[in-house]
Amino acid sequence: MAKTFEIRWHGRGGQGTVTAAKVLADACLSGGRYVQAFPEYGPERAGAPLRAYNRISDHVIRMYCPVLHPHVISIADATLIDGVNVTDGAQDDTIFLVNTSKDPEKIREKLNAKPGQKVFTIDASKIAMDCIGRPLPNASMLGAISKATGIIDMDTLLENVKKSFGKKFAQKIIDGNLEATKRGYEEVKEG
Amino acid sequence: MKEPLWKRLPAGSVILEAGSAAKFKTGSWRSMRPKWIEENCIQCLFCWIYCPDMSVTVKDGKRGAFNFDYCKGCGICALECPGKKGNKAIVMEEEGN
Amino acid sequence: MGKIFAVTGNEAVAEALRQINPDVCAAYPITPATDLMQRFSGFISDGKVDTEMVLVESEHSAMSACIGAAAAGGRVATATSSQGLALMWEMLFIAAGDRLPIVMPVVNRALSAPLNIHGDHSDSMGARDSGWIQLYSETAQEAYDNAIQAFRIAEHLDIRLPAMVCMDGFIVSHSIERVEYLEDADVKNFVGKYKQVNPLLDLDNPKSYGPLILTDLYHEYKRAQHEVMTKVKNVVLEVAADFEKMTGRKYGLFETYRLEDAEIAIVILSSAAGTTKDIIDEYRDKGIKAGLLKPRMFRPFPFEEVADALKHLKAIAVLDRADSFGGYGPLFSEICGAVMSMNKKPPMINKIYGLGGRDYMPNQAEKVLDELVEIANTGKVNIIKEYIGVRE
């Protein structure tokens, strides 16, 4: 693994993007790793575009500023591609993960991705509607990240999704999120 | 050698002795002194209530002689005293007479 | 040894308070400290601590209630930020003057106006003269460790002074990172049983707090307060040594990073020190001898030790996340005080950065280091105090 593995999340207030970053940080603690998860705090309202970040490293993480050159750019809402500079700071081999029903090839075109950059898509909102009845894409985004990056294995991730949602929600919602996480892993497409 | 004063002060300016205000005698400030005329006193204890220090002594619910250690001669007791039939039970006199 | 968690700075300090289980907390919510006390009051509601929580109508009242509870003989804590700390201001001096060992996490946040909820050090720097001990934390781990040590330091019978434990609002308070918690029993044992000194609730020995003391003795009381501050340093080091024995984590009056053989150095507080360390590594890789000094104890300020650590440098930049308008940044002023004792004084510059939560980015540290290289070569300083990271 590179010195520090860095992820930037693009989402909208209320979609659970910040929660996703937190769950991922929690899950990545396994194996003695160091983690960071933090949103860019602003005057957030439901629907407002927001960014959140993860850093994951085998060494102590000292950097406290936003991630500038992410290894992964995870976009929880494809409509953000039009309004926000989501490719800002992307490296030549950055991995894009986009929540959309469109094909990864189309998204690759839209992002104007370089040959070395990988583009993954996942219809996370649909999975969320199927599994929990609300368009909260975060669980299946996490599953897709697990598949696309290998940064975290599914067993550990599922355990942490369960733990994190278990604090606040009923069993039905927890089960729905676990199912969504699994489907995110299985249904993510590369293009 | 004696320690400097600031080293001998209790930490945090806490006053460790209860009721130490009694040591602070204001009697020397007086230029006028109250005189108690017992036959005009109706034992209303207004003087005890109004005295800003503690110079009116009370025993068994009745006032006794002034404790002049704490009397600054302010005259509040004499002013507030209702007296009996128009005659004050406390009057102020010049100190030293 | 303890367990590893991914938690925010606020969560970590709330956990420290749970483990310490103070007798009384009086608090009023203010972003970004709200979350800390909210979590702690959750522990009270869940019966995990038996702290008496006093919900008051302002921070002024919060500190007043803390003072009363501490004078009564309780182990007392609260937390605040920004305007809340500003509103406590007059009571801070009373807590210190009465020598009440209240521990207060300060989640650093900018002061109005304009209204801003993000992290800078304007709030705690405004309270630097109040007589409180101040410890600054770079990470959530440091905030947790400092909070635990702060109780031992504040309550030490040689000093008995209130202590603030500062961490950067949002940057640390709301970021999730890896933190190692100690076992409850170890924290309890480390902090020890609270020793009362002159408690008001000792009804057999009544006493008074807060008397009127005028020209006759006020000056002497302040002389004594100055003296007790000079003893804090040793207590902080003694507590840090015990803490290291228990945890292996080393704390001092300040931290140095690659400073011993450095020619240029950045002096900086709290979370921005972490980012700076990464950039110093990059400059070292380029063959530039850069180092860092991060004060942990800002009050009392360890002038002699800091001077000794900085004496070999060819140029120093002090970065302040607070301004003293019309003066130099507060940290710069202290470093000047330390440097004053040196025979050969290194040239110094003062940069004001990151106000109102403006991100402190790697390129800011790079620019400062580049300027230091230039100053070290020429010995010339162009502008002493300057804002950096200002939008064009």
Side-chain angles (χ1 to χ4, degrees):
Chain A
M1 196 171 85
K3 238 178 18 185
T4 302
F5 192 79
E6 298 181 309
I7 302 174
R8 185 171 73 218
W9 297 80
H10 291 277
R12 295 188 182 277
Q15 284 182 326
T17 314
V18 177
T19 306
K22 289 177 177 177
V23 172
L24 184 64
D26 228 331
C28 286
L29 266 188
S30 60
R33 286 188 284 184
Y34 290 82
V35 295
Q36 260 186 0
F38 56 103
E40 211 158 69
Y41 280 95
E44 275 114 11
R45 293 143 300 203
L50 63 82
R51 294 169 171 217
Y53 305 96
N54 277 123
R55 285 192 178 95
I56 296 144
S57 175
D58 291 333
H59 306 282
V60 177
I61 299 167
R62 300 182 299 201
M63 197 64 88
Y64 269 108
C65 63
V67 168
L68 292 174
H69 304 292
H71 299 91
V72 175
I73 296 174
S74 177
I75 302 161
D77 186 328
T79 59
L80 287 165
I81 298 175
D82 297 321
V84 178
N85 184 8
V86 293
T87 59
D88 186 29
Q91 306 187 44
D92 289 343
D93 58 351
T94 289
I95 297 169
F96 288 91
L97 173 66
V98 183
N99 168 22
T100 178
S101 57
K102 294 198 178 83
D103 288 336
E105 293 75 19
K106 283 236 170 76
I107 296 296
R108 169 174 281 280
E109 210 172 291
K110 196 164 189 190
L111 288 168
N112 199 13
K114 294 176 191 167
Q117 294 175 333
K118 290 182 180 173
V119 177
F120 292 86
T121 59
I122 178 75
D123 197 353
S125 297
K126 180 176 181 296
I127 296 172
M129 288 306 287
D130 291 350
C131 297
I132 47 176
R134 287 178 65 198
L136 298 172
N138 50 359
S140 36
M141 293 293 285
L142 284 168
I145 280 202
S146 167
K147 179 74 174 286
T149 66
I151 187 82
I152 183 74
D153 66 87
M154 273 304 274
D155 287 347
T156 314
L157 181 61
L158 289 171
E159 198 181 295
N160 277 278
V161 168
K162 197 170 157 186
K163 193 176 84 184
S164 173
F165 288 88
K167 283 178 200 160
K168 288 188 200 163
F169 299 106
Q171 193 59 43
K172 205 177 135 199
I173 303 286
I174 302 165
D175 291 343
N177 275 290
L178 289 171
E179 178 62 21
T181 309
K182 284 181 204 158
R183 281 186 59 186
Y185 184 88
E186 288 155 9
E187 296 176 23
V188 65
K189 286 185 279 190
E190 186 177 356
Chain B
M1 204 184 82
K2 203 174 159 188
E3 285 220 292
L5 175 60
W6 63 264
K7 286 193 179 179
R8 287 179 275 131
L9 297 173
S13 61
V14 181
I15 294 172
L16 298 167
E17 188 187 346
S20 59
K23 287 183 178 174
F24 194 58
K25 292 182 179 173
T26 50
S28 65
W29 300 9
R30 199 170 55 236
S31 61
M32 301 286 284
R33 71 194 275 128
K35 184 182 161 196
W36 183 41
I37 304 160
E38 201 174 349
E39 64 263 30
N40 292 339
C41 180
I42 59 167
Q43 294 294 341
C44 66
L45 298 184
F46 271 23
C47 51
W48 174 73
I49 291 166
Y50 280 103
C51 177
D53 208 313
M54 44 192 244
S55 58
V56 178
T57 61
V58 174
K59 203 182 170 194
D60 300 329
K62 299 214 174 216
R63 72 152 290 168
F66 279 106
N67 180 342
F68 285 104
D69 280 351
Y70 302 107
C71 177
K72 307 173 220 195
C74 69
I76 291 175
C77 55
L79 186 77
E80 295 296 339
C81 177
K84 195 191 276 177
K85 295 175 184 168
N87 297 313
K88 290 265 186 190
I90 302 172
V91 294
M92 298 304 288
E93 293 179 334
E94 206 167 315
E95 183 65 41
N97 278 349
Chain C
M1 218 54 254
K3 289 198 190 85
I4 308 287
F5 293 90
V7 290
T8 64
N10 275 347
E11 259 181 288
V13 174
E15 175 70 4
L17 292 182
R18 183 193 65 74
Q19 293 176 314
I20 288 157
N21 191 5
D23 297 311
V24 179
C25 278
Y28 188 80
I30 182 161
T31 304
T34 303
D35 170 53
L36 195 168
M37 269 299 153
Q38 189 182 335
R39 285 171 192 279
F40 181 69
S41 43
F43 294 138
I44 297 174
S45 308
D46 294 344
K48 291 184 177 166
V49 289
D50 50 19
T51 304
E52 176 85 27
M53 186 82 190
V54 190
L55 298 175
V56 286
E57 73 283 3
S58 76
E59 286 85 357
H60 187 281
S61 306
M63 185 45 64
S64 301
C66 286
I67 288 168
R75 175 177 271 163
V76 179
T78 181
T80 196
S81 291
S82 183
Q83 310 301 122
L85 184 62
L87 185 54
M88 281 181 184
W89 201 74
E90 63 164 333
M91 303 316 291
L92 296 176
F93 287 73
I94 294 172
D98 285 352
R99 304 276 301 277
L100 301 170
I102 299 161
V103 172
M104 176 162 66
V106 173
V107 186
N108 284 120
R109 164 184 154 184
L111 288 170
S112 285
L115 179 59
N116 179 298
I117 57 166
H118 289 278
D120 76 28
H121 302 151
S122 309
D123 50 4
S124 56
M125 286 300 165
R128 68 179 178 181
D129 299 337
S130 60
W132 283 57
I133 296 164
Q134 287 190 339
L135 303 176
Y136 285 78
S137 321
E138 177 183 327
T139 62
Q141 182 74 61
E142 286 192 12
Y144 171 81
D145 291 349
N146 280 337
I148 292 167
Q149 291 177 68
F151 281 88
R152 269 276 298 275
I153 296 165
E155 294 166 6
H156 196 288
L157 292 176
D158 286 357
I159 55 177
R160 295 261 311 171
L161 284 168
M164 295 181 197
V165 175
C166 305
M167 68 172 142
D168 285 344
F170 288 108
I171 303 166
V172 172
S173 70
H174 284 63
S175 287
I176 288 186
E177 54 185 85
R178 179 188 151 118
V179 176
E180 182 181 324
Y181 288 159
L182 300 169
E183 296 292 344
D184 289 2
D186 288 341
V187 174
K188 283 208 162 49
N189 185 43
F190 182 81
V191 173
K193 200 173 173 311
Y194 184 70
K195 293 183 204 75
Q196 294 182 329
V197 175
N198 300 327
L200 279 174
L201 286 180
D202 172 12
L203 299 181
D204 295 333
N205 297 289
K207 50 194 74 73
S208 299
Y209 274 75
L212 173 76
I213 294 178
L214 299 175
T215 47
D216 52 349
L217 281 175
Y218 183 90
H219 198 60
E220 284 66 30
Y221 272 108
K222 293 297 133 180
R223 174 66 186 84
Q225 207 177 331
H226 158 70
E227 187 74 8
V228 79
M229 267 299 201
T230 65
K231 296 179 184 167
V232 173
K233 189 170 77 184
N234 287 339
V235 172
V236 168
L237 290 173
E238 180 191 312
V239 171
D242 280 358
F243 193 79
E244 191 185 350
K245 264 183 231 158
M246 176 171 67
T247 63
R249 293 194 288 275
K250 194 172 172 60
Y251 287 91
L253 305 174
F254 50 84
E255 182 195 331
T256 60
Y257 184 71
R258 307 189 84 163
L259 189 66
E260 291 68 26
D261 66 337
E263 291 175 353
I264 57 172
I266 288 179
V267 180
I268 194 163
L269 289 166
S270 300
S271 68
T275 306
T276 308
K277 286 175 197 169
D278 273 11
I279 306 308
I280 284 172
D281 282 357
E282 287 175 17
Y283 274 64
R284 284 277 177 171
D285 290 345
K286 289 194 266 179
I288 295 163
K289 289 188 169 175
L292 171 139
L293 186 144
K294 178 190 78 181
R296 172 183 181 232
M297 185 179 84
F298 185 80
R299 277 291 177 272
F301 196 80
F303 292 100
E304 288 163 29
E305 293 80 358
V306 166
D308 195 51
L310 297 176
K311 64 175 188 289
H312 59 290
L313 294 163
K314 290 184 181 165
I316 301 169
V318 182
L319 273 60
D320 269 289
R321 204 166 204 153
D323 197 358
S324 168
F325 299 99
Y328 291 121
L331 183 57
F332 184 78
S333 298
E334 302 305 344
I335 301 300
C336 287
V339 164
M340 189 186 70
S341 65
M342 297 181 196
N343 290 326
K344 197 168 161 287
K345 296 175 183 57
M348 299 204 331
I349 50 173
N350 184 200
K351 304 293 185 193
I352 310 293
Y353 75 99
L355 299 187
R358 167 63 45 82
D359 284 317
Y360 173 70
M361 304 303 278
N363 68 350
Q364 294 177 22
E366 287 161 8
K367 274 189 191 159
V368 172
L369 288 170
D370 291 343
E371 190 178 337
L372 284 178
V373 169
E374 185 69 17
I375 292 170
N377 286 336
T378 62
K380 271 187 206 146
V381 170
N382 288 325
I383 303 167
I384 298 176
K385 177 187 169 184
E386 198 179 21
Y387 272 59
I388 58 170
V390 183
R391 285 173 62 185
E392 296 297 329

mmCIF file of all heavy atoms in Angstrom, chain B residues 2 4 19 42 46 54 58 61 72 74 80 82 94:
data_model
loop_
_atom_site.group_PDB
_atom_site.id
_atom_site.type_symbol
_atom_site.label_atom_id
_atom_site.label_comp_id
_atom_site.label_asym_id
_atom_site.label_seq_id
_atom_site.Cartn_x
_atom_site.Cartn_y
_atom_site.Cartn_z
ATOM 1 N N LYS B 2 12.558 35.275 58.621
ATOM 2 C CA LYS B 2 11.118 35.111 58.487
ATOM 3 C C LYS B 2 10.743 35.085 57.008
ATOM 4 O O LYS B 2 11.291 35.825 56.203
ATOM 5 C CB LYS B 2 10.436 36.288 59.197
ATOM 6 C CG LYS B 2 9.018 35.986 59.605
ATOM 7 C CD LYS B 2 8.466 37.152 60.423
ATOM 8 C CE LYS B 2 6.969 37.150 60.427
ATOM 9 N NZ LYS B 2 6.392 38.332 61.038
ATOM 10 N N PRO B 4 8.727 35.859 53.636
ATOM 11 C CA PRO B 4 8.007 37.070 53.252
ATOM 12 C C PRO B 4 6.501 36.885 53.406
ATOM 13 O O PRO B 4 5.990 35.766 53.319
ATOM 14 C CB PRO B 4 8.399 37.291 51.797
ATOM 15 C CG PRO B 4 9.021 36.030 51.333
ATOM 16 C CD PRO B 4 9.523 35.306 52.546
ATOM 17 N N GLY B 19 -16.226 33.526 61.142
ATOM 18 C CA GLY B 19 -16.641 34.638 61.993
ATOM 19 C C GLY B 19 -15.536 35.633 62.287
ATOM 20 O O GLY B 19 -15.583 36.378 63.284
ATOM 21 N N ILE B 42 -39.927 50.014 73.261
ATOM 22 C CA ILE B 42 -41.049 49.063 73.182
ATOM 23 C C ILE B 42 -40.570 47.671 72.725
ATOM 24 O O ILE B 42 -41.373 46.812 72.371
ATOM 25 C CB ILE B 42 -42.144 49.595 72.224
ATOM 26 C CG1 ILE B 42 -41.571 49.806 70.809
ATOM 27 C CG2 ILE B 42 -42.792 50.865 72.791
ATOM 28 C CD1 ILE B 42 -42.632 50.030 69.742
ATOM 29 N N PHE B 46 -36.265 47.093 66.047
ATOM 30 C CA PHE B 46 -35.901 47.758 64.786
ATOM 31 C C PHE B 46 -34.413 48.104 64.785
ATOM 32 O O PHE B 46 -33.727 47.990 63.780
ATOM 33 C CB PHE B 46 -36.720 49.057 64.600
ATOM 34 C CG PHE B 46 -38.026 48.846 63.888
ATOM 35 C CD1 PHE B 46 -38.645 47.606 63.871
ATOM 36 C CD2 PHE B 46 -38.638 49.912 63.229
ATOM 37 C CE1 PHE B 46 -39.849 47.430 63.214
ATOM 38 C CE2 PHE B 46 -39.838 49.740 62.572
ATOM 39 C CZ PHE B 46 -40.458 48.506 62.560
ATOM 40 N N MET B 54 -22.894 45.100 64.328
ATOM 41 C CA MET B 54 -23.488 44.187 65.314
ATOM 42 C C MET B 54 -23.395 44.806 66.708
ATOM 43 O O MET B 54 -23.038 44.149 67.679
ATOM 44 C CB MET B 54 -22.818 42.819 65.267
ATOM 45 C CG MET B 54 -21.312 42.849 65.181
ATOM 46 S SD MET B 54 -20.683 41.224 64.776
ATOM 47 C CE MET B 54 -19.761 40.882 66.255
ATOM 48 N N VAL B 58 -28.738 41.397 71.771
ATOM 49 C CA VAL B 58 -30.085 40.893 72.071
ATOM 50 C C VAL B 58 -29.935 39.611 72.871
ATOM 51 O O VAL B 58 -29.131 38.737 72.528
ATOM 52 C CB VAL B 58 -30.877 40.617 70.772
ATOM 53 C CG1 VAL B 58 -32.218 39.953 71.100
ATOM 54 C CG2 VAL B 58 -31.131 41.910 69.998
ATOM 55 N N GLY B 61 -34.675 37.502 73.276
ATOM 56 C CA GLY B 61 -35.657 38.282 72.522
ATOM 57 C C GLY B 61 -35.761 39.724 72.970
ATOM 58 O O GLY B 61 -36.638 40.455 72.506
ATOM 59 N N LYS B 72 -20.328 52.506 64.744
ATOM 60 C CA LYS B 72 -19.632 53.581 64.038
ATOM 61 C C LYS B 72 -20.305 54.919 64.252
ATOM 62 O O LYS B 72 -19.897 55.922 63.685
ATOM 63 C CB LYS B 72 -19.637 53.300 62.528
ATOM 64 C CG LYS B 72 -19.124 51.958 62.145
ATOM 65 C CD LYS B 72 -19.343 51.746 60.654
ATOM 66 C CE LYS B 72 -19.782 50.325 60.433
ATOM 67 N NZ LYS B 72 -19.694 49.888 59.050
ATOM 68 N N CYS B 74 -23.415 55.688 63.239
ATOM 69 C CA CYS B 74 -24.074 56.109 61.996
ATOM 70 C C CYS B 74 -25.442 56.724 62.232
ATOM 71 O O CYS B 74 -25.939 57.489 61.407
ATOM 72 C CB CYS B 74 -24.198 54.933 61.020
ATOM 73 S SG CYS B 74 -25.374 53.672 61.558
ATOM 74 N N GLU B 80 -34.506 55.227 62.989
ATOM 75 C CA GLU B 80 -35.577 54.250 62.803
ATOM 76 C C GLU B 80 -36.384 53.984 64.074
ATOM 77 O O GLU B 80 -37.487 53.436 64.005
ATOM 78 C CB GLU B 80 -34.985 52.912 62.303
ATOM 79 C CG GLU B 80 -34.355 52.998 60.926
ATOM 80 C CD GLU B 80 -35.360 53.331 59.831
ATOM 81 O OE1 GLU B 80 -36.575 53.117 60.037
ATOM 82 O OE2 GLU B 80 -34.918 53.831 58.777
ATOM 83 N N PRO B 82 -38.987 53.897 66.718
ATOM 84 C CA PRO B 82 -40.322 54.509 66.797
ATOM 85 C C PRO B 82 -40.596 55.138 68.171
ATOM 86 O O PRO B 82 -41.453 56.000 68.298
ATOM 87 C CB PRO B 82 -41.251 53.330 66.541
ATOM 88 C CG PRO B 82 -40.492 52.120 66.975
ATOM 89 C CD PRO B 82 -39.026 52.424 66.804
ATOM 90 N N GLU B 94 -23.076 63.631 71.176
ATOM 91 C CA GLU B 94 -21.710 63.817 70.711
ATOM 92 C C GLU B 94 -20.757 62.922 71.511
ATOM 93 O O GLU B 94 -20.910 62.784 72.715
ATOM 94 C CB GLU B 94 -21.294 65.273 70.867
ATOM 95 C CG GLU B 94 -20.206 65.652 69.883
ATOM 96 C CD GLU B 94 -20.029 67.160 69.834
ATOM 97 O OE1 GLU B 94 -21.072 67.855 69.770
ATOM 98 O OE2 GLU B 94 -18.885 67.603 69.879
#
